[in-house]
C-alpha cells in the first residue's frame, strides 16, 4: 500500500473507501490525494489516504483506483466539533462537543480512542470530504471539461463528471457480527437493539426501525380488537360502526404519541437540539455561474421561474396523465370483476368461486407494477426540474410519489365504498390488495436479496480460495473492500417509509370493513423487521450515518392520512343501516349530522395535537437549562472581553 503522509504519527485505520474510474489520469489522482492529505490550514482536509492493494486475486479486471481514507484521533475530535456532534456530558445532559471541554464528557476516557463510534467517525470524514473546496484551480487536472472555481466542492464535481464512482463507509466485521446476532439471527420476542443500530448505522436508520417497531406495537390493540370482531357475521349485524369509531381515535392518538417517543430517542442520541448543517448544492445541480450572496462564492445559479415552469407545465400534467391512466386501469378492473361475478352467478362452483378473486389479484399486481414504473418516471422528472438542494429534491419527489401511490392504491376502494356502496366487494378487494401486495413485497425485499447475496458471496469466496493457501475463512481487507464495493447501494429509507404509509392507509381507512387487516399488517411488519435487518447487514453497502431528529416529511404524510381516515370512517358510519335507521325520513339530516360529527372529531384531533406536547416535559427542562447556561457563558465571555481593554489602559 502507498504510505500516507501522517502514518508515522498515527496508526492508519481505514474507515471510508473512494473508488475512481479505472482509467483516471495520474495527475488527477495525485492532485486529489494531495488535497485530501493537505492540512486544513492550507485548504486541505487533513485526512489520511492509502491506496488499496490488488489482494490475493490480482485479476486484471479489478479496478486499481480504490483508496482507503482514515483520520488521526485528533483530526476526528476536531471534526466532531466542526459538525456540531452532541455527546453526553458529565451531568447527564446532551451537549455540543468541544475539544476544549473534552474531558468533561462522560465517555471520554484517556486519549478518547473509543469516544466516537465508527459511524460518527465515518460521518465526520464524509463531511470533511464534501467540504473540500477548490482554491485557484480552473479544472480537474487532466480533465479540461470538469470545470472548477474557488469554493466549489471537489468531491461533488468529481461525482457529477463521473470521475469518482462512489464513496462508501466500510463495515466493521466484529461489530456487524454482534449486531446481526442480537438483531435478526435469532428469533425472539424482544425489542430491537435501537441503540446498537444507531451506534452502527446512525440516527436516521435507527429512527426508521424505531418507527417500524412502534407502528407494529400500535397495531396490536386494533388486531386484538379485530380478531373477535371478524368471528361474528358483521354483514348481517353491521357491527363495523363501533370499529370505525375505534379507528378514528386510534389513528389520532398513535401519531401524537410517536412524536413524543421520537423526541425522547432524538434527545438520547444527541440530535434533537443539534443545528442542521448548511446545505450545499446537489451534485447533479447545474446552471450558469453566478454570485451567491449567502455564501459569497461563485457557483451555478438556476432561475427559479424556469424551474417553476418545468414543474407546472411538464411535471404536473404528467402526474395528472398518470392519474388518468390509473383511473382507466381501475375501470378495466371493475369490468373484469363484473365478468367474473356474472360467470359465478350462472354456475356457482368451486372454480368459479376462485375466479371471483382473480381480477383483484391481477389488479393488485398491476398496481405494484404501475407504482414501480411511476417511481422511475418521478425520479427522472424531479432530477430534470434541477432542484438546488437535496431537501427540495426529496420533498418534490415524495409529493409526486405519494399522490400517485395514494390514488393508485386506494381509488378503487373509495369507488366501491362510496359510489357502488358494496361492502362485500369492498372487503374482498381490500383483503386481496393487502395480501397480494404483502406477498410481492416479501418476495422483492426478502427472498430475492437473500438469494442474490448468497450467490455473490459464494462467487467471491471461490475466487479468493483459488489463490489462497491459508485455511481460515476470513476475507483479507483487500477482498473485503472489493466485495463491499460490488454490493448494492442503499438508497435510503424512502421506499421503506412509503410501504409503511400505504399499510397505514389500508388499516386506518377501511379496516372497519375488514378487521383482519391489522393482523395481516402486524405479521407483515414482524417479517419486515427481519428482512430489512438482513438487507442492511448482508445485502447493501453500509450507508453513511444521517443525524436525523425525526422522520421528517413522512410525519406530515402520516398525519394527512389520519385526517383522511377520520373523514372516510365518518362517511362509512353514515352509510351503515344502523345509523340510517335513526333518520328514516331525511337523508339530508343524516348527512348534516355526519358532517358535524366529522368536524367535531377533526377539532378533537387538532386539540389533541396542542394538548399533547411533542417533546416530553423533562426533556424541555433539560433543553431550556442548556440554553440558559449557553447564554450565561456568552454573557460572561463578553464581560471578560470588555474588561480586558480597561486593564490595558491602566
Amino acid at each position: 500500500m502507498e504510505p500516507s503522509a501522517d502514518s508515522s504519527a498515527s496508526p492508519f485505520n481505514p474507515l471510508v473507501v473512494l473508488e475512481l474510474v479505472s482509467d483516471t489520469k495520474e495527475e488527477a489522482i495525485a492532485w486529489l490525494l494531495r488535497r485530501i492529505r493537505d492540512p486544513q490550514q492550507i485548504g486541505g482536509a487533513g485526512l489520511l489516504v492509502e491506496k488499496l492493494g490488488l489482494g490475493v486475486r490480482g485479476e486484471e479486471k479489478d479496478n486499481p483506483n480504490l483508496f482507503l481514507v482514515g483520520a488521526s484521533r485528533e483530526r476526528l475530535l476536531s471534526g466532531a466539533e466542526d459538525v456540531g456532534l452532541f455527546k453526553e456530558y458529565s451531568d447527564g445532559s446532551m451537549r455540543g462537543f468541544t475539544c476544549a471541554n473534552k474531558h468533561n464528557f462522560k465517555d471520554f476516557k484517556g486519549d478518547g480512542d473509543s469516544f466516537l463510534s465508527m459511524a460518527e467517525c465515518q460521518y465526520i470524514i464524509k463531511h470533511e470530504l464534501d467540504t473540500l473546496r477548490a482554491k485557484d484551480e480552473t479544472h480537474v487536472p487532466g480533465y479540461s471539461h470538469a470545470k472548477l472555481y474557488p469554493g466549489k466542492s471537489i468531491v461533488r464535481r468529481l461525482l457529477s463528471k463521473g470521475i469518482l464512482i462512489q464513496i462508501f463507509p466500510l463495515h466493521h466485521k466484529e461489530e456487524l457480527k454482534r449486531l446481526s446476532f442480537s438483531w435478526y439471527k435469532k428469533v425472539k420476542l424482544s425489542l430491537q437493539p435501537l441503540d446498537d443500530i444507531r451506534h452502527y448505522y446512525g440516527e436516521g436508520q435507527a429512527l426508521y426501525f424505531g418507527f417500524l417497531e412502534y407502528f407494529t406495537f400500535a397495531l396490536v390493540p386494533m388486531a386484538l380488537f379485530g380478531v373477535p370482531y371478524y368471528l361474528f357475521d358483521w354483514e348481517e349485524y353491521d357491527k363495523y360502526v363501533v370499529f370505525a369509531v375505534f379507528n378514528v381515535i386510534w389513528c389520532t392518538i398513535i401519531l401524537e404519541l410517536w412524536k413524543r417517543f421520537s423526541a425522547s430517542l432524538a434527545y438520547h442520541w444527541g440530535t434533537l437540539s443539534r443545528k442542521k448543517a448548511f446545505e450545499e448544492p446537489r451534485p447533479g445541480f447545474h446552471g450558469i455561474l453566478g454570485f451567491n450572496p449567502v455564501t459569497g462564492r461563485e457557483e451555478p445559479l438556476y432561475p427559479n421561474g424556469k424551474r417553476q415552469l418545468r414543474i407546472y407545465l411538464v411535471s404536473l400534467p404528467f402526474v395528472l396523465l398518470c392519474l388518468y391512466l390509473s383511473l382507466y386501469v381501475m375501470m378495466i378492473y371493475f369490468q373484469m370483476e363484473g365478468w367474473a361475478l356474472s360467470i359465478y352467478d350462472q354456475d356457482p362452483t368451486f372454480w368459479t368461486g376462485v375466479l371471483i378473486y382473480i381480477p383483484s389479484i391481477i389488479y393488485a399486481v398491476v398496481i405494484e407494477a404501475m407504482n414501480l414504473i411511476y417511481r422511475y418516471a418521478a425520479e427522472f422528472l424531479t432530477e430534470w426540474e434541477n432542484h438546488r438542494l437535496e431537501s427540495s429534491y426529496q420533498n418534490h419527489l415524495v409529493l409526486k410519489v405519494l399522490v400517485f401511490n395514494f390514488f393508485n392504491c386506494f381509488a378503487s376502494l373509495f369507488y366501491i365504498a362510496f359510489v357502488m356502496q358494496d361492502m362485500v366487494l369492498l372487503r374482498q378487494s381490500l383483503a386481496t390488495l393487502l395480501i397480494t401486495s404483502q406477498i410481492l413485497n416479501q418476495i422483492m425485499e426478502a427472498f430475492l436479496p437473500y438469494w442474490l447475496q448468497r450467490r455473490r458471496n459464494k462467487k467471491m469466496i471461490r475466487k479468493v480460495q483459488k489463490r489462497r493457501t491459508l485455511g481460515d475463512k476470513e476475507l483479507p481487507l483487500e477482498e473485503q473492500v472489493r466485495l463491499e464495493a460490488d454490493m448494492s447501494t442503499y438508497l435510503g429509507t424512502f421506499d421503506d417509509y412509503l410501504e409503511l404509509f400505504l399499510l397505514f392507509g389500508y388499516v386506518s381507512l377501511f379496516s372497519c370493513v375488514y378487521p383482519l387487516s391489522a393482523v395481516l399488517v402486524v405479521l407483515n411488519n414482524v417479517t419486515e423487521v427481519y428482512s430489512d435487518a438482513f438487507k442492511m447487514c448482508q445485502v447493501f453497502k453500509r450507508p453513511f450515518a444521517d443525524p436525523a431528529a425525526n422522520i421528517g416529511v413522512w410525519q406530515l404524510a402520516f398525519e394527512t392520512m389520519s385526517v383522511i381516515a377520520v373523514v372516510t370512517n365518518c362517511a362509512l358510519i353514515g352509510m351503515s343501516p344502523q345509523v340510517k335507521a335513526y333518520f328514516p325520513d331525511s337523508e339530508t339530516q343524516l348527512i348534516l349530522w355526519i358532517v358535524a360529527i366529522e368536524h367535531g372529531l377533526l377539532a378533537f384531533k387538532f386539540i389533541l395535537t396542542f394538548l399533547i406536547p411533542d417533546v416530553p416535559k423533562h426533556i424541555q427542562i433539560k433543553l431550556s437549562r442548556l440554553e440558559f447556561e449557553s447564554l450565561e457563558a456568552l454573557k460572561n465571555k463578553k464581560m471578560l472581553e470588555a474588561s480586558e481593554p480597561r486593564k490595558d489602559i491602566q
Side-chain angles (χ1 to χ4, degrees):
M1 286 189 180
E2 189 178 303
S4 70
D6 301 310
S7 57
S8 59
S10 177
F12 182 74
N13 179 28
L15 295 168
V16 174
V17 178
L18 293 176
E19 183 178 8
L20 301 170
V21 291
S22 57
D23 59 349
T24 306
K25 295 181 180 178
E26 288 298 326
E27 57 264 41
I29 295 175
W31 167 77
L32 176 62
L33 298 186
R34 187 181 71 251
R35 292 302 314 276
I36 293 173
R37 290 168 176 157
D38 280 347
Q40 285 181 291
Q41 293 82 353
I42 59 172
L47 302 175
L48 310 176
V49 193
E50 291 188 358
K51 187 172 183 178
L52 184 72
L54 291 176
V56 295
R57 290 185 294 159
E59 296 181 4
E60 290 184 6
K61 63 180 181 180
D62 285 344
N63 186 353
N65 293 328
L66 271 80
F67 298 89
L68 304 175
V69 184
S72 64
R73 180 177 58 251
E74 293 76 15
R75 181 69 187 88
L76 288 171
L77 291 175
S78 68
E81 184 174 349
D82 292 341
V83 300
L85 203 66
F86 270 61
K87 302 291 281 185
E88 189 175 359
Y89 207 63
S90 54
D91 62 359
S93 63
M94 301 300 294
R95 305 195 181 200
F97 175 77
T98 58
C99 291
N101 291 328
K102 60 186 179 183
H103 292 290
N104 292 326
F105 284 85
K106 184 178 178 181
D107 296 323
F108 195 96
K109 296 178 176 62
D111 294 330
D113 279 332
S114 58
F115 180 64
L116 300 174
S117 69
M118 188 176 180
E120 289 170 337
C121 294
Q122 290 167 334
Y123 174 76
I124 291 166
I125 288 177
K126 177 67 162 54
H127 175 267
E128 299 301 338
L129 290 173
D130 283 342
T131 54
L132 184 62
R133 304 190 181 283
K135 295 189 290 185
D136 52 1
E137 301 96 336
T138 57
H139 61 271
V140 176
Y143 296 91
S144 57
H145 65 284
K147 302 294 184 184
L148 290 172
Y149 45 86
K152 173 65 182 175
S153 171
I154 291 172
V155 167
R156 289 172 184 270
R157 173 59 77 200
L158 294 174
L159 281 169
S160 64
K161 292 299 180 183
I163 301 169
L164 178 60
I165 299 174
Q166 60 179 340
I167 308 176
F168 63 91
L170 279 170
H171 276 295
H172 187 283
K173 294 179 185 178
E174 290 304 316
E175 277 190 37
L176 184 62
K177 192 181 294 182
R178 287 194 296 268
L179 176 62
S180 300
F181 183 76
S182 65
W183 195 4
Y184 73 90
K185 283 194 173 179
K186 57 178 182 178
V187 179
K188 59 190 186 306
L189 293 173
S190 64
L191 301 177
Q192 295 179 91
L194 292 182
D195 286 334
D196 294 339
I197 296 169
R198 176 255 172 181
H199 187 269
Y200 193 82
Y201 286 109
E203 293 78 15
Q205 281 301 319
L207 276 173
Y208 161 69
F209 283 101
F211 181 72
L212 175 58
E213 181 177 273
Y214 174 86
F215 180 40
T216 305
F217 279 106
L219 283 165
V220 170
M222 185 174 281
L224 294 175
F225 193 43
V227 170
Y229 224 80
Y230 182 78
L231 299 178
F232 295 97
D233 189 1
W234 68 91
E235 287 178 54
E236 184 178 346
Y237 299 105
D238 296 299
K239 298 179 185 298
Y240 70 80
V241 174
V242 178
F243 203 91
V245 173
F246 177 78
N247 233 349
V248 168
I249 298 170
W250 173 83
C251 69
T252 299
I253 292 175
I254 65 158
L255 292 175
E256 292 305 314
L257 294 180
W258 161 251
K259 284 194 280 190
R260 290 174 61 84
F261 180 60
S262 68
S264 299
L265 288 176
Y267 177 79
H268 175 60
W269 293 336
T271 56
L272 185 62
S273 53
R274 185 171 171 179
K275 291 182 180 178
K276 193 175 181 180
F278 180 77
E279 271 197 277
E280 295 289 339
R282 297 174 57 245
F285 175 68
H286 57 85
I288 300 171
L289 198 63
F291 179 77
N292 186 331
V294 177
T295 61
R297 300 194 299 258
E298 281 192 326
E299 61 180 59
L301 301 177
Y302 190 78
N304 187 55
K306 193 173 179 180
R307 183 181 300 112
Q308 296 301 320
L309 286 175
R310 290 187 172 191
I311 291 172
Y312 290 108
L313 296 184
V314 179
S315 296
L316 181 59
F318 176 79
V319 173
L320 294 175
L321 175 63
C322 290
L323 295 180
Y324 172 77
L325 290 174
S326 175
L327 190 64
Y328 186 76
V329 171
M330 183 187 78
M331 299 314 294
I332 294 174
Y333 155 65
F334 285 130
Q335 289 178 355
M336 293 171 60
E337 195 74 51
W339 168 77
L341 286 170
S342 65
I343 291 179
Y344 179 77
D345 291 339
Q346 292 172 8
D347 183 20
T349 64
F350 171 78
W351 293 110
T352 55
V354 172
L355 183 65
I356 293 175
Y357 292 92
I358 299 300
S360 296
I361 294 173
I362 294 173
Y363 184 51
V365 174
V366 170
I367 283 176
E368 293 296 321
M370 289 175 67
N371 285 344
L372 187 62
I373 294 169
Y374 177 82
R375 169 68 187 277
Y376 289 119
E379 287 180 349
F380 174 80
L381 274 179
T382 312
E383 185 72 39
W384 178 72
E385 288 165 6
N386 197 27
H387 294 277
R388 180 177 177 272
L389 302 177
E390 184 65 28
S391 59
S392 175
Y393 171 87
Q394 288 295 333
N395 289 341
H396 281 80
L397 178 61
V398 167
L399 182 61
K400 288 186 185 73
V401 172
L402 284 189
V403 168
F404 180 80
N405 277 256
F406 179 85
F407 190 87
N408 200 29
C409 293
F410 301 117
S412 62
L413 300 178
F414 278 104
Y415 186 86
I416 295 169
F418 302 117
V419 179
M420 298 174 66
Q421 298 189 11
D422 187 341
M423 294 301 149
V424 177
L425 180 59
L426 177 61
R427 185 177 71 251
Q428 175 193 316
S429 297
L430 175 61
T432 309
L433 285 174
L434 188 56
I435 293 170
T436 307
S437 64
Q438 287 183 351
I439 291 172
L440 290 174
N441 282 329
Q442 289 302 321
I443 291 172
M444 296 298 293
E445 294 187 6
F447 297 109
L448 187 61
Y450 177 75
W451 179 77
L452 289 174
Q453 188 57 27
R454 279 183 65 88
R455 185 181 175 188
R456 184 185 295 126
N457 283 350
K458 285 181 179 178
K459 187 177 178 182
M460 173 63 77
I461 290 170
R462 277 199 304 269
K463 286 184 176 181
V464 171
Q465 287 178 342
K466 284 180 182 178
R467 300 291 184 100
R468 297 199 55 156
T469 55
L470 298 174
D472 63 311
K473 294 184 178 180
E474 283 290 321
L475 288 175
L477 176 63
E478 293 84 357
E479 302 301 334
Q480 183 65 30
V481 170
R482 294 186 186 280
L483 175 62
E484 290 185 31
D486 291 336
M487 285 180 169
S488 303
T489 301
Y490 183 69
L491 299 177
T493 54
F494 185 100
D495 289 318
D496 298 316
Y497 279 121
L498 178 60
E499 183 183 350
L500 292 182
F501 172 80
L502 295 175
L503 292 174
F504 179 74
Y506 284 123
V507 171
S508 61
L509 295 174
F510 298 109
S511 64
C512 62
V513 179
Y514 183 59
L516 279 186
S517 59
V519 178
L520 294 175
V521 174
V522 167
L523 294 174
N524 175 83
N525 286 2
V526 170
T527 58
E528 188 81 12
V529 168
Y530 287 95
S531 63
D532 284 353
F534 170 77
K535 287 188 299 182
M536 290 300 302
C537 295
Q538 301 295 332
V539 177
F540 292 118
K541 293 184 186 74
R542 185 179 186 174
F544 282 103
D546 172 24
N550 49 54
I551 61 174
V553 70
W554 292 102
Q555 180 75 37
L556 178 61
F558 279 91
E559 288 177 357
T560 304
M561 181 69 85
S562 71
V563 171
I564 299 171
V566 170
V567 178
T568 302
N569 281 277
C570 286
L572 288 170
I573 291 170
M575 288 169 52
S576 70
Q578 279 180 319
V579 175
K580 284 183 178 180
Y582 290 101
F583 304 92
D585 302 321
S586 176
E587 189 174 335
T588 304
Q589 194 175 6
L590 169 62
I591 294 171
L592 290 174
W593 268 103
I594 292 300
V595 170
I597 292 169
E598 173 256 324
H599 277 58
L601 286 170
L602 286 177
F604 171 71
K605 177 180 173 60
F606 291 119
I607 289 170
L608 268 183
T609 303
F610 287 105
L611 289 180
I612 303 176
D614 293 350
V615 180
K617 186 69 176 176
H618 69 282
I619 293 179
Q620 289 181 14
I621 292 171
K622 289 181 179 179
L623 293 176
S624 299
R625 188 196 309 156
L626 182 60
E627 185 179 0
F628 171 76
E629 290 176 2
S630 299
L631 290 173
E632 285 294 302
L634 183 63
K635 186 163 63 175
N636 292 336
K637 183 181 178 182
K638 286 183 177 179
M639 290 175 62
L640 185 63
E641 289 174 350
S643 65
E644 285 179 356
R646 293 174 188 168
K647 291 180 181 178
D648 293 338
I649 293 171
Q650 292 173 359

